[in-house]
Amino acid sequence: MACVLEAPLRMSVLSEVTASSRHYVDRLFDPDPQKVLQGVIDMKNAVIGNNKQKANLIVLGAVPRLLYLLQQETSSTELRTECAVVLGSLAMGTENNVKSLLDCHIIPALLQGLLSPDLKFIEACLRCLRTIFTSPVTPEELLYTDATVIPHLMALLSRSRYTQEYICQIFSHCCKGPDHQTILFNHGAVQNIAHLLVSTSYKVQMQALKCFSVLAFENPQVSMTLVNVLVDGELLPQIFVKMLQRDKPIEMQLTSAKCLTYMCRAGAIRTDDNCIVLKTLPCLVRMCSKERLLEERVEGAETLAYLIETDVELQRIASITDHLIAMLADYFKYPSSVSAITDIKRLDHDLKHAHELRQAAFKLYASLGANDEDIRKKIIETENMMDRIVNGLSESSIKVRLAAVRCLHSLSRSVQQLRTSFQDHAVWKPLMKVLQNAPDEILVVASSTLCNLLLEFSPSKEPILESGAVELLCSLTQSENLALRVNGIWALMNMAFQAEQKIKSDILRGLSTEQLFQLLSDSDVNVLMKTLGLLRNLLSTRPHIDHIMSSHGKQIMQAVTLILEGEHNIEVKEQTLCILANIADGTTAKELIMTNDDILQKIKYYMSHSNAKLQLAAMFCISNLVWNEEEGSQERQDKLRDMGIVDILHKLSQSSDPNLCDKAKTALQQYLA
């Protein structure tokens, strides 16, 4: 019986709630404009801070009526303004509220409202637009649909400090990527917003600063312009430097540091400029300290990681500033059991976001260790570092996993660490697990790391091979993603270096001749070079050369011919000639060259080429073919003499290039012996 009663009970509660809200909506339809205005004002007071009431009014259809009143020419300015305020309040509720407002086409209605001459109404519309555009459910594109909107917003910037604050906030939230940056830049965003940095209103200053950080990010055009902008006789970078002084609010310090970081990375400020070395970098390191709030520590570390990512000198300076490497270790112990956070709400928030700290620490460690061996050593010697990375590789958060793999990749560039820490912690195991079913962005970094773990001096090479790596890497070479194809073939190339014949056979079997040809005809030169490198490594040591050429010789010779005839750069042709030189070093394999007149003519052609590298590579082929200690050398020498090779050798023995000269003389000696 209880089940039967449940539904009507719920219905009656809901109807009670909506009934208490219904009179607010009913009053919007009163024929008396004064009563309608009072109804909207009462509704405004009822919804402030009351999410339930907001949801009820939306369900009861208040939004279309409010929008109708807002757009009616006959509505008083006061009524239209109050409608915009209520709509803004509804938008401040849940994401579902915002979706409902978007479904009712609120944005075009509010943008239309901005054409009004009344400043209070404009400000109310802008405040509501700001709330809607800063919601994650609102598509940024809605700001750019109508080409007249951006220039009109630029014009409204001068109206009041509220229009300045809201418009800058809308711009900074809706500027996602180069297309948006270009639109805002072309409509004079830099000139219109620059003077707001010296506004008397802190909120305006902050929103202008945020605007510049999103405009400058990865944008050389904007960054180069910002460097030369003057505000009250002072250059923008100088204003940013003033804003990151310790006496300024943290939010201002951080955002200014971001602006200078982005301008530096975009090439507008040198990495050795004092404003970077003495101001921006130390400010960002300060943000990583224990005293800062969680989000400040995250933003500080991530921005610093980006600033120093490609500059060795900045990496060295950062590594010895304020014990940064040790300071970052605290990111993994947060919040500790003896946390100083007494605010329960704050503690709950931080527990939910602690993974962001780990992600930021991994990112910064990756940047710090990108180039310098001593820094890598310091990072790895930080307490439990390798365990933390291994744990990071299996975290549920994809961002933490990606950052942990990045950190591992950075540290895997160290020969010393590959031989010690990486082996002690069997890092390859979780790495292989990550490679099984990860999204492309993780796969790219993880496969790059695997390339390093497969270098010949790495003790991890053996166990990785035993765990099915060949199959995995061969499948990567078939990926649509270029970076994955490169990494797959690169790792196989490393795997094949000085490998046993069984491994080489496994690679050739796994790749298949068809796939090998596919890679040799890849449009990307990187893929081609790595595939040639793989072939060169496969065709090393005589027994291996003869074994592989006996089963794949025809196809390999075909591939070599294709490349030597194609439109390829010097490096590609040189690598191909080196493969031929390796084949010429085989006992039986060299006959595949000697019986192929087309290939012999090509070798002859490259001996007289204008490029010394290609000449030298062709000479290696000839030397291996004429070497007189080997069976059949007399017949080979005679055939090559008849082709005019000896004449070319005499000519090259007079070359001004010492390498060519020596190689030619050595080959000629084989004829004399």
Side-chain angles (χ1 to χ4, degrees):
M1 284 300 286
C3 293
V4 180
L5 287 170
E6 188 101 346
L9 189 71
R10 274 205 191 128
M11 280 297 292
S12 63
V13 170
L14 183 65
S15 55
E16 253 176 67
V17 173
T18 47
S20 69
S21 307
R22 186 173 292 285
H23 75 281
Y24 288 114
V25 181
D26 292 343
R27 289 165 70 190
L28 300 181
F29 292 88
D30 198 290
D32 181 348
Q34 213 37 52
K35 285 183 178 171
V36 173
L37 174 61
Q38 194 51 52
V40 175
I41 292 169
D42 290 346
M43 187 184 277
K44 174 180 74 176
N45 295 330
V47 296
I48 290 173
N50 187 337
N51 275 351
K52 206 172 207 173
Q53 187 68 281
K54 289 176 187 181
N56 287 339
L57 291 171
I58 289 171
V59 169
L60 291 168
V63 177
R65 183 63 183 169
L66 287 166
L67 283 171
Y68 172 79
L69 295 169
L70 178 128
Q71 292 175 91
Q72 278 302 94
E73 292 297 324
T74 51
S75 298
S76 67
T77 305
E78 190 182 356
L79 174 59
R80 296 171 78 190
T81 306
E82 290 295 348
C83 286
V85 172
V86 175
L87 288 163
S89 192
L90 294 177
M92 280 182 171
T94 63
E95 287 181 4
N96 280 335
N97 291 8
V98 177
K99 283 180 189 164
S100 303
L101 293 170
L102 290 171
D103 290 342
C104 294
H105 306 292
I106 187 171
I107 289 180
L110 291 169
L111 290 172
Q112 191 63 33
L114 299 181
L115 300 172
S116 158
D118 186 87
L119 182 58
K120 283 276 169 280
F121 178 51
I122 289 173
E123 287 174 352
C125 288
L126 281 172
R127 193 180 305 118
C128 185
L129 280 166
R130 179 271 312 265
T131 306
I132 290 168
F133 274 120
T134 53
S135 164
V137 298
T138 309
E140 299 83 27
E141 284 308 321
L142 292 174
L143 184 67
Y144 304 95
T145 323
D146 179 344
T148 63
V149 170
I150 301 293
H152 186 61
L153 288 172
M154 293 293 177
L156 289 175
L157 273 170
S158 58
R159 293 293 299 273
S160 75
R161 74 183 185 86
Y162 294 112
T163 64
Q164 290 167 351
E165 180 193 335
Y166 304 146
I167 291 170
C168 283
Q169 201 170 353
I170 290 168
F171 284 164
S172 60
H173 270 273
C174 294
C175 182
K176 301 274 195 285
D179 292 348
H180 296 165
Q181 288 171 328
T182 303
I183 294 169
L184 293 173
F185 179 77
N186 289 344
H187 282 105
V190 173
Q191 296 77 358
N192 284 303
I193 297 171
H195 69 280
L196 304 182
L197 290 170
V198 293
S199 164
T200 51
S201 157
Y202 172 73
K203 284 183 175 177
V204 172
Q205 279 186 307
M206 266 320 300
Q207 294 308 333
L209 201 51
K210 285 179 180 172
C211 253
F212 281 129
S213 77
V214 294
L215 282 168
F217 182 63
E218 291 186 343
N219 193 314
Q221 184 189 22
V222 174
S223 296
M224 293 292 186
T225 306
L226 291 181
V227 172
N228 300 310
V229 171
L230 278 169
V231 179
D232 290 356
E234 213 168 3
L235 286 166
L236 266 197
Q238 293 167 329
I239 293 175
F240 292 149
V241 166
K242 277 186 178 172
M243 288 176 153
L244 46 78
Q245 286 169 354
R246 288 167 188 260
D247 60 341
K248 295 285 187 279
I250 295 298
E251 181 189 29
M252 183 175 268
Q253 291 184 46
L254 246 177
T255 316
S256 312
K258 272 184 164 179
C259 290
L260 289 161
T261 294
Y262 298 161
M263 287 163 74
C264 176
R265 283 298 307 267
I269 300 176
R270 288 167 54 104
T271 53
D272 58 0
D273 190 298
N274 279 350
C275 76
I276 298 296
V277 178
L278 303 179
K279 302 289 180 184
T280 310
L281 187 145
C283 169
L284 290 169
V285 173
R286 274 202 311 276
M287 296 301 146
C288 299
S289 81
K290 248 189 220 170
E291 285 66 54
R292 301 268 57 86
L293 291 174
L294 176 138
E295 42 272 44
E296 292 161 1
R297 294 170 78 186
V298 169
E299 216 173 322
E302 292 196 338
T303 309
L304 183 56
Y306 183 63
L307 174 66
I308 68 173
E309 189 179 15
T310 56
D311 191 271
V312 190
E313 200 42 47
L314 288 180
Q315 289 158 11
R316 289 195 183 122
I317 295 166
S319 73
I320 54 167
T321 304
D322 290 353
H323 308 289
L324 177 64
I325 291 175
M327 201 193 302
L328 285 177
D330 289 331
Y331 277 45
F332 295 95
K333 308 171 192 166
Y334 186 88
S336 65
S337 51
V338 290
S339 178
I341 303 173
T342 47
D343 177 349
I344 293 299
K345 245 183 172 176
R346 181 82 221 175
L347 186 62
D348 182 53
H349 166 274
D350 285 5
L351 282 166
K352 285 187 184 126
H353 293 269
H355 67 277
E356 291 173 23
L357 275 175
R358 296 193 291 280
Q359 175 200 337
F362 282 138
K363 272 188 186 171
L364 185 43
Y365 276 138
S367 284
L368 283 163
N371 295 288
D372 188 288
E373 192 65 27
D374 292 337
I375 298 175
R376 287 188 200 119
K377 193 167 181 293
K378 272 189 203 164
I379 292 170
I380 284 176
E381 285 169 359
T382 306
E383 51 181 317
N384 307 328
M385 191 60 207
M386 291 309 285
D387 291 333
R388 283 180 180 142
I389 294 175
V390 168
N391 292 337
L393 292 175
S394 55
E395 278 213 29
S396 57
S397 158
I398 189 166
K399 288 184 172 177
V400 178
R401 289 208 305 278
L402 179 59
V405 173
R406 280 216 173 108
C407 184
L408 191 64
H409 179 237
S410 184
L411 299 174
S412 74
R413 293 184 182 131
S414 159
V415 176
Q416 180 59 34
Q417 301 311 330
L418 282 174
R419 284 185 168 147
T420 53
S421 310
F422 275 53
Q423 189 56 14
D424 299 342
H425 291 80
V427 167
W428 64 271
K429 280 184 187 168
L431 186 66
M432 287 296 286
K433 204 170 165 192
V434 166
L435 281 159
Q436 298 309 322
N437 52 356
D440 277 9
E441 56 177 342
I442 288 186
L443 272 181
V444 169
V445 193
S447 54
S448 286
T449 313
L450 195 63
C451 287
N452 293 342
L453 292 180
L454 286 167
L455 290 163
E456 90 281 3
F457 51 74
S458 164
S460 310
K461 187 172 178 177
E462 262 337 286
I464 290 173
L465 288 171
E466 286 159 18
S467 68
V470 174
E471 199 180 330
L472 176 86
L473 295 169
C474 288
S475 69
L476 286 186
T477 67
Q478 297 174 28
S479 170
E480 294 286 307
N481 183 315
L482 171 61
L484 287 179
R485 285 205 305 283
V486 171
N487 287 348
I489 202 73
W490 194 340
L492 288 170
M493 181 183 92
N494 287 350
M495 193 186 270
F497 184 74
Q498 294 183 352
E500 297 163 15
Q501 190 167 304
K502 182 192 174 300
I503 293 168
K504 291 182 177 180
S505 299
D506 287 349
I507 292 172
L508 275 168
R509 203 175 307 115
L511 262 188
S512 81
T513 317
E514 194 185 337
Q515 178 58 10
L516 197 60
F517 267 99
Q518 196 74 43
L519 292 164
L520 288 170
S521 54
D522 199 288
S523 57
D524 184 79
V525 72
N526 248 330
V527 173
L528 180 53
M529 281 297 282
K530 295 287 178 278
T531 310
L532 291 170
L534 167 65
L535 265 180
R536 196 172 163 182
N537 286 349
L538 289 170
L539 295 165
S540 61
T541 74
R542 274 188 194 162
H544 296 183
I545 295 168
D546 291 333
H547 177 78
I548 289 169
M549 291 307 285
S550 68
S551 53
H552 295 80
K554 191 180 165 198
Q555 296 93 326
I556 289 173
M557 293 304 285
Q558 219 175 323
V560 165
T561 310
L562 272 175
I563 291 169
L564 290 178
E565 283 175 355
E567 292 291 315
H568 293 291
N569 65 29
I570 300 295
E571 283 70 26
V572 168
K573 300 255 170 123
E574 182 192 14
Q575 189 78 291
T576 310
L577 287 166
C578 289
I579 290 169
L580 272 181
N582 283 12
I583 296 169
D585 192 37
T587 308
T588 55
K590 53 167 58 87
E591 284 313 305
L592 286 162
I593 297 177
M594 290 309 299
T595 54
N596 188 328
D597 288 344
D598 186 22
I599 284 281
L600 287 173
Q601 286 299 335
K602 284 183 170 56
I603 295 172
K604 179 184 174 183
Y605 164 76
Y606 284 109
M607 283 176 76
S608 306
H609 198 275
S610 57
N611 184 286
K613 279 183 176 177
L614 295 182
Q615 284 181 286
L616 201 57
M619 295 280 291
F620 272 106
C621 298
I622 296 298
S623 281
N624 286 343
L625 292 172
V626 300
W627 207 255
N628 61 26
E629 289 166 15
E630 288 162 20
E631 200 181 323
S633 62
Q634 193 57 55
E635 291 87 342
R636 288 193 294 276
Q637 285 183 4
D638 292 346
K639 182 169 182 176
L640 293 172
R641 179 188 279 111
D642 294 344
M643 280 178 62
I645 296 290
V646 175
D647 299 339
I648 300 174
L649 287 174
H650 278 298
K651 206 181 287 178
L652 289 172
S653 67
Q654 309 300 314
S655 168
S656 57
D657 183 315
N659 289 331
L660 277 176
C661 178
D662 288 351
K663 205 74 195 152
K665 284 176 180 171
T666 308
L668 283 169
Q669 276 165 4
Q670 299 306 309
Y671 275 91
L672 302 171

